[in-house]
Amino acid sequence: MTTTIHLPPHRLSAASQRLRDDVRSFLDGELEAGTFVPRCDAWMSVADPAFSRRLGARGWIGMTLPSAYGGHDRSALERFVVTEELLAAGAPVAAHWIADRQMAPSILRHGSQAQRERYLPAIARGECSFAIGMSEPDAGSDLASVRTRARQVEGGWEITGTKVWTTGAHFAHAIVVLARTDGSPADRHSGLSQFIVDLPAPGVEIRPIRTIDGEHHFNEVIFDAAVVAEDSLLGERGAGWRQVTAELAHERSGPERYMSTVPLLRAWAEQLRGQDGGAAAERELGRLTARAWTLRQMSLSVAAALAEGRPPEIAAALVKDLGSRFEGDVVETVRRLAGIEPRKNGPGLEGLLAEAILHSPAFTLRGGSNEILRSVVARGLGVR
Ligand SMILES: Cc1cc2nc3c(=O)[nH]c(=O)nc-3n(C[C@H](O)[C@H](O)[C@H](O)COP(=O)(O)OP(=O)(O)OC[C@H]3O[C@@H](n4cnc5c(N)ncnc54)[C@H](O)[C@@H]3O)c2cc1C
């Protein structure tokens, strides 16, 4: 039997528009004060803890969390509006992004009362950064084959293994680790568990992995018989796979999966506004803008599904596949038609283009590669 992917159109409320205006004027103020310059891919690579704290103080982090845990009882669609504006501005949000996007919902759903009280208010204040310890040297796409082990010992758990490509582990206050607690890799999806490990910690070494431009965004994290407390277990022992799958829906569904290069697109549009860039440039700008609009409608529909508790995994995989290809196409189009030389740390469009070129190989890999996402979509549609 085949099925279909349903992405019904969704309209934002008038209250959401007011919220959008508030966020825009806050960002205009920050830009005027010179606290940041727009950057491509800033949600992953530009962390400014003070900026995150200012957002937290305005109630724009942990928005959907209950007020009992320091949150703001707002809807996923209101959060979508804030997220969209921050991404369009290229604001420095990496310090809180992972914590807000996926750890807050995961801890709210699976965490113990003590974990909720410990982490959620700090996340909502913009004071708690998280790293995700899923991938390993031999377990990326095939995540269920993780080899990191957690063994119950007196007073806690002993974790041994190596995680890789761990974004932001060098500044994170905690890392969530996927480890095998029971069975063997042959058991695949059963016997995996998640742990929250506060950082830095004895027995945990964080080594930088530098990207092609020499920057430090991700790491190798080595657990050498690191002992963590009993209550570091997140959720149920052995239910790690189910928990991680739910977490990935949050990780894959947001507008950051098509908006990483929107600051570049905006800067190019601005340049074209002031000069005759030629018919080809205007046509391509129109095409890209139309695609961005379509992706936005799809992403909004996925956010609405999440808000209503409908499972968005398949639609989220589809939007991420289309969205991350769009991000790369923006870079290629601007490179081809803008008539400028990319220059790292250069002013305006030159700097944005250089940064986007250097980051673009990652767009279709991180959070699950496009080939894997297409398999998810195909399986979801009943294609064998
Ligand atoms: C910028 C960036 C940030 C990241 N941050 C994190 C992080 O914070 N935490 C974390 O845990 N991980 C992180 N990752 C890792 C990311 O999740 C993995 O890179 C990704 O899942 C792919 O795994 P891999 O690199 O091991 O590639 P592999 O799994 O080895 O895949 C290599 C290639 O083979 C293809 N392939 C593999 N299996 C199949 C298949 N069955 N069918 C078809 N094609 C296949 C893939 O599509 C890919 O093109 C990050 C990666 C990047 C690039």
Side-chain angles (χ1 to χ4, degrees), residues 306-323:
L306 259 179
E308 290 158 16
R310 285 184 278 123
E313 284 86 358
I314 299 167
L318 176 73
V319 177
K320 184 177 175 301
D321 175 27
L322 295 173

Side-chain angles (χ1 to χ4, degrees), residues 170-250:
H170 51 303
F171 59 75
H173 301 97
I175 177 171
V176 61
V177 181
L178 182 66
R180 182 160 291 287
T181 42
D182 304 282
S184 68
D187 288 345
R188 307 282 301 162
H189 300 133
S190 61
L192 294 171
S193 304
Q194 286 187 294
F195 296 87
I196 300 179
V197 178
D198 290 338
L199 294 174
V204 182
E205 190 190 344
I206 299 171
R207 294 185 187 155
I209 301 176
R210 297 213 173 258
T211 42
I212 192 169
D213 50 1
E215 305 233 334
H216 179 195
H217 306 306
F218 44 42
N219 306 273
E220 187 178 33
V221 183
I222 296 146
F223 295 84
D224 183 7
V227 176
V228 298
E230 192 90 55
D231 63 0
S232 305
L233 179 70
L234 173 64
E236 245 179 87
R237 176 175 181 162
W241 185 256
R242 182 164 46 79
Q243 293 175 197
V244 157
T245 312
E247 204 181 294
L248 281 172
H250 286 276

Side-chain angles (χ1 to χ4, degrees), residues 41 44 98 131-143 163-168 211 217-218 251-252 359 361-372 375:
D41 214 17
M44 200 209 74
I98 290 173
I132 302 294
M134 291 190 198
S135 306
E136 297 184 2
D138 296 315
S141 302
D142 188 15
L143 187 59
K163 296 292 172 181
V164 76
W165 315 125
T166 322
T167 304
T211 42
H217 306 306
F218 44 42
E251 182 174 344
R252 289 175 177 164
H359 283 229
F363 297 158
T364 56
L365 269 177
R366 59 188 179 194
S369 73
N370 282 27
E371 290 76 17
I372 296 305
S375 305

Side-chain angles (χ1 to χ4, degrees), residues 251-311:
E251 182 174 344
R252 289 175 177 164
S253 61
E256 69 268 38
R257 298 308 183 176
Y258 68 94
M259 288 188 71
S260 303
T261 54
V262 164
L264 176 68
L265 188 62
R266 289 182 74 181
W268 186 43
E270 208 48 56
Q271 187 205 49
L272 287 175
R273 196 202 297 269
Q275 66 179 57
D276 180 9
E282 282 175 15
R283 193 175 54 239
E284 289 306 318
L285 176 63
R287 279 199 180 131
L288 288 171
T289 308
R291 274 172 74 188
W293 187 253
T294 311
L295 284 161
R296 175 173 189 263
Q297 292 305 314
M298 294 170 86
S299 183
L300 196 50
S301 182
V302 173
L306 259 179
E308 290 158 16
R310 285 184 278 123

